[in-house]
Amino acid sequence: VEAECLRSFSFNYYTNKMNKGSLARFVLQGIEGQDAKKGMERIAKEIKEDLIRENIDVENLCVCLPAGTGTSAFYLRQFLECPVVCTPCISNKAYLLQQFNSFSSKGEFFPLILESKKNYSFGKLYIDFFELYKQMKTKVNIEFDLLYDMKMLTALKENLHELPKTILYLHCGGQEGNASMLARYQRKFS
């Protein structure tokens, strides 16, 4: 109820503050935003084109991405023929299922929810996340996000035997927060 009141207040406040000709736009967050569905449809189309171009067999493929509210994973699953796998990074499996059910209509498919064996609290520092981050940066030279990606990559690593042979990992950005997270990690573990 509190979140709903805050959301309503914010929407009304900013809508009233904007000038008629303003380019500013209030975009709802998470599963409420219909723009997310259009965006994920476009990404699904690009993924399909890439799979054809690279001659990747969809039968042995899953698309993996970390989940906050699960919006991206939910919509992406509606537009792809292969499994979409996500890991709850802010909450847990029950929360993601609640989100999917609140938005679902008949005939929609849900992403598979893959949890890590260990329970990780959002935003808390874990040495295994820090070590995995450094390992990925060195081995594949890709900057992954320390909050979402590390939990997803950990869950993938623990559950590889349950997944199709080919994994397409959707890198969702989020590195802006790495500077402050790295400083926290270095203070705690260096």
Side-chain angles (χ1 to χ4, degrees):
V1 173
E2 259 182 53
E4 186 58 40
C5 290
L6 182 58
R7 185 179 300 122
S8 180
F9 171 79
S10 298
F11 179 77
N12 291 332
Y13 177 81
Y14 287 107
T15 302
N16 292 333
K17 286 285 184 187
M18 285 191 262
N19 297 330
K20 297 267 186 220
S22 173
L23 296 177
R25 185 167 175 219
F26 191 85
V27 178
L28 295 171
Q29 183 179 352
I31 209 149
E32 300 170 18
Q34 287 297 308
D35 289 343
K37 184 174 185 176
K38 293 175 198 166
M40 294 319 291
E41 182 176 22
R42 183 175 175 185
I43 288 173
K45 182 179 180 232
E46 291 175 15
I47 288 171
K48 289 175 186 178
E49 291 167 358
D50 288 343
L51 296 175
I52 291 168
R53 187 177 58 254
E54 299 295 325
N55 198 27
I56 296 174
D57 180 18
V58 180
E59 295 293 318
N60 294 311
L61 172 78
C62 68
V63 176
C64 300
L65 67 159
T69 63
T71 304
S72 297
F74 178 85
Y75 285 133
L76 192 59
R77 179 62 188 106
Q78 307 315 306
F79 301 112
L80 290 176
E81 290 75 37
C82 63
V84 172
V85 179
C86 64
T87 295
C89 294
I90 295 175
S91 58
N92 57 29
K93 184 176 184 174
Y95 169 79
L96 284 182
L97 287 172
Q98 179 185 5
Q99 288 292 99
F100 297 158
N101 280 313
S102 74
F103 198 69
S104 178
S105 61
K106 274 189 173 178
E108 291 179 316
F109 300 101
F110 288 176
L112 300 170
I113 301 171
L114 192 66
E115 293 188 289
S116 56
K117 291 176 180 153
K118 183 178 173 182
N119 185 19
Y120 294 99
S121 297
F122 185 73
K124 196 169 178 186
L125 304 180
Y126 297 97
I127 189 68
D128 43 337
F129 283 5
F130 190 43
E131 293 301 323
L132 180 58
Y133 168 83
K134 291 188 296 187
Q135 181 183 10
M136 296 301 288
K137 184 106 166 122
T138 302
K139 287 189 176 184
V140 295
N141 197 27
I142 297 175
E143 176 94 11
F144 285 96
D145 154 60
L146 281 156
L147 286 173
Y148 290 85
D149 288 329
M150 293 305 103
K151 188 169 182 185
M152 179 78 209
L153 291 171
T154 298
L156 283 174
K157 194 166 120 179
E158 293 172 352
N159 297 283
L160 273 177
H161 61 281
E162 296 177 27
L163 299 172
K165 184 173 78 172
T166 305
I167 295 172
L168 173 63
Y169 188 88
L170 270 187
H171 192 293
C172 301
Q175 301 97 336
E176 297 85 11
N178 276 0
S180 62
M181 287 296 290
L182 283 170
R184 289 177 62 207
Y185 271 107
Q186 288 165 349
R187 277 193 304 272
K188 183 166 183 170
F189 297 118
S190 292

